Amino acid sequence: MKQLLSILLAATVFMACNQGKTGGTGTGGQTSGRIVYVNTDTLLNNYEMYKDMVKEFQNKQFALENELKKKSESFQNEVALFQRRVQAGGMSQQQAQTTQQQLAQKEQDILMYRDNAANNLAQDQAETTDEILTKIHDFLAKYNEDDRYDMVIGYSKGGGVLYAKENLEITQDVLKGLNEEYTKKDEKKEAKADSTAKK
């Protein structure tokens, strides 16, 4: 998940300015201004919302793996029991065929369940990634309400930006603001839950 999100963040250019603002002009009559960057690796490693969502995703993945393991073990036990009964002559040919068909259907159901669950997990991951990118984008738009910057880009080692001066980095400011917003949201949820519980 981190690699995908890091690539998306690094590849996404956040336009955080009013294109028609007044100011000095560069070549071609375009507005000149500062371009700053956010180190996406640092941001993802320290953004509390991202860390919480990764934990939640890992827990879902772990729960799914455990559930599939139990279903698979239960199915294997049924197959082994069926084979023992057939070898011991405890089933008629008709019973054996019916049980075999039921087991084949059960195997198909398990495989379908696995595929659907994996698709749902992938969809959850995509929605989570989109939510995080939206939060970061929205925060940067607010962060740049005074039009200090023309552009905020995502930087990661080995990404598209090969060099950037350190004084153009705003990662810590952005990280601090994002975590404060996320913490406030959590505190509001807890306060609301407490007030509901007291009623």
Side-chain angles (χ1 to χ4, degrees), residues 88-122:
M91 284 182 138
S92 68
Q93 190 175 352
Q94 180 65 40
Q95 287 174 323
Q97 283 178 343
T98 302
T99 306
Q100 203 167 11
Q101 286 170 355
Q102 288 170 344
L103 288 171
Q105 183 59 52
K106 195 169 268 192
E107 185 179 27
Q108 285 303 310
D109 291 345
I110 291 170
L111 292 173
M112 192 180 294
Y113 176 83
R114 180 201 64 192
D115 292 346
N116 288 338
N119 286 338
N120 289 339
L121 210 56

Side-chain angles (χ1 to χ4, degrees), residues 68-86:
L68 288 170
K69 187 180 176 186
K70 283 177 189 171
K71 283 180 183 288
S72 178
E73 285 171 356
S74 174
F75 176 72
Q76 292 302 325
N77 290 337
E78 283 187 60
V79 169
L81 178 64
F82 166 68
Q83 287 171 341
R84 283 197 301 272
R85 285 184 69 191
V86 168

Side-chain angles (χ1 to χ4, degrees), residues 130-156:
D130 186 59
E131 188 180 345
I132 290 168
L133 288 170
T134 300
K135 290 275 183 203
I136 293 170
H137 182 273
D138 291 349
F139 175 80
L140 287 170
K142 280 191 281 182
Y143 180 79
N144 195 47
E145 279 176 340
D146 59 358
D147 285 336
R148 282 174 291 172
Y149 310 119
D150 286 332
M151 193 180 290
V152 179
I153 60 172
Y155 167 82
S156 66

Side-chain angles (χ1 to χ4, degrees), residues 1-3 5-6 9 38-55 58 132 136 155-157 171-172 175-176 178-179:
M1 182 171 173
K2 183 179 174 185
Q3 280 183 326
L5 192 52
S6 187
L9 270 172
V38 172
N39 185 311
T40 54
D41 296 328
T42 303
L43 189 68
L44 293 179
N45 285 332
N46 298 286
Y47 184 18
E48 294 303 326
M49 179 184 178
Y50 174 75
K51 290 196 283 188
D52 286 349
M53 288 185 164
V54 166
K55 276 184 206 164
Q58 287 172 338
I132 290 168
I136 293 170
Y155 167 82
S156 66
K157 197 169 183 181
T171 309
Q172 292 309 317
L175 188 55
K176 184 181 176 211
L178 283 167
N179 281 333

Side-chain angles (χ1 to χ4, degrees), residues 9-22:
L9 270 172
T12 302
V13 176
F14 299 101
M15 297 306 291
C17 68
N18 177 356
Q19 294 294 332
K21 72 178 184 179
T22 56

